[in-house]
Amino acid sequence: MNKLKEKLNKVINLHADYANEHGSSTLSVADSYHHGWDRDLYIHRNAITEKLKSMGFQISESFKWDVLDITVTKELDL
């Protein structure tokens, strides 16, 4: 379980850092591990998005062809 937490936190930090630097980041997940997708990311996608929301990011999701695209956007102060 610790390896899974480390893996998920690494993904969260990677996308948070990228969104902070570039304004947004996209994470694509699917429940098709036999096609090379990471099933852990798909299963725990809600925990990932909730953590990113708690860090102040806006999250939008788009689902097409069995792939969920999660866009992480840095909140702008206007």
Side-chain angles (χ1 to χ4, degrees):
M1 192 63 150
N2 284 336
K3 284 187 178 186
L4 177 60
K5 284 183 182 182
E6 287 177 23
K7 177 181 175 179
L8 296 178
N9 282 321
K10 184 177 178 181
V11 169
I12 290 165
N13 292 331
L14 175 79
H15 286 280
D17 291 345
Y18 193 89
N20 278 325
E21 185 175 337
H22 300 285
S24 68
S25 180
T26 302
L27 170 64
S28 298
V29 298
D31 190 20
S32 298
Y33 66 93
H34 55 279
H35 289 292
W37 292 92
D38 188 331
R39 192 160 189 228
D40 289 335
L41 297 181
Y42 182 80
I43 291 170
H44 299 287
R45 66 193 179 279
N46 293 326
I48 293 170
T49 57
E50 289 303 315
K51 178 65 175 180
L52 287 164
K53 285 179 188 177
S54 75
M55 295 169 71
F57 293 97
Q58 296 176 342
I59 304 295
S60 62
E61 298 178 345
S62 173
F63 192 76
K64 185 175 181 181
W65 299 103
D66 296 331
V67 176
L68 176 65
D69 293 319
I70 302 167
T71 303
V72 180
T73 306
K74 181 180 177 181
E75 192 169 321
L76 292 176
D77 293 327
L78 299 176

